[in-house]
Amino acid sequence: MERRDALKLTATILGGSVIGAQFFLSGCVVPPKKRSEIVTNDDVHFLDEIGETILPDTDESPGAKAAHIGAFMKTIVNDCYSKDEALIFISGLDKIEERSIDVFRESFLSLSKEKKLNLLTQFDEEAKKATSLEKPHFFTMLKELTVWGYFTSEIGATQALRYNPVPGRFEGCIPYTGESVWIS
């Protein structure tokens, strides 16, 4: 079995249902043909603000913006998503901006934290009600990329999780005292 096939199989077994993961593992790059199919550098700040609303800065750890989540999303959408997935994602960004202007009469970027959270919570509720398995909801894609990108970043792995590059021996009966999760 080749390494790439082993990675695909492992990702599938371990719940590799993250949208675009198979393209990430296969090394497939979707060549952009027009603006509606790619995330640009201009979108990175917008994505950072969305990510920060989903995973905000706290006293315990920095938020998604500190992990440069917008740049991560740009790379994954442009390089790993299929054309259809990229179009869903891009149209979702447009929907966020349109609804922000319709509801609050302001651009998403100029909203307060509370208004941003309120707006994204509405999209989260829509995504939870979405039943199409063939066509994912754009907000589900945003949340998955935010969590994936954050917890695989240096900041997420070392400050939000308890990072131990060389873990000790396995001890299966250690009482849980509410501390952060380990990552190795």
Side-chain angles (χ1 to χ4, degrees), residues 14-81:
L14 295 176
S17 62
V18 173
I19 298 163
Q22 289 300 322
F23 286 104
F24 175 71
L25 292 172
S26 67
C28 179
V29 176
V30 180
K33 294 181 182 170
K34 57 184 177 179
R35 161 63 185 118
S36 63
E37 295 176 19
I38 61 168
V39 178
T40 65
N41 288 332
D42 295 334
D43 297 320
V44 170
H45 181 65
F46 188 70
L47 292 169
D48 277 337
E49 289 298 320
I50 292 170
E52 187 72 14
T53 305
I54 294 170
L55 284 174
D57 186 38
T58 66
D59 292 338
E60 290 81 31
S61 62
K65 191 188 301 186
H68 305 288
I69 203 66
F72 173 82
M73 287 191 216
K74 175 185 176 231
T75 299
I76 296 300
V77 172
N78 290 348
D79 295 349
C80 303
Y81 275 19

Side-chain angles (χ1 to χ4, degrees), residues 46 93-112 115-116 119 122-123:
F46 188 70
L93 298 182
D94 295 338
K95 288 177 188 176
I96 290 173
E97 185 63 19
E98 289 167 7
R99 189 167 304 168
S100 176
I101 291 170
D102 289 346
V103 174
F104 299 109
R105 306 283 185 241
E106 293 181 72
S107 170
F108 180 81
L109 292 175
S110 56
L111 295 177
S112 67
K115 288 180 180 179
K116 287 178 184 175
L119 185 66
Q122 293 174 23
F123 285 113

Side-chain angles (χ1 to χ4, degrees), residues 7-25 81 85 133 136-137 140-141 143-145 148:
L7 285 172
K8 284 182 195 176
L9 181 60
T10 302
T12 303
I13 290 170
L14 295 176
S17 62
V18 173
I19 298 163
Q22 289 300 322
F23 286 104
F24 175 71
L25 292 172
Y81 275 19
E85 290 167 342
L133 297 176
H137 193 278
T140 301
M141 300 165 101
K143 280 176 49 177
E144 286 178 347
L145 286 176
W148 178 21

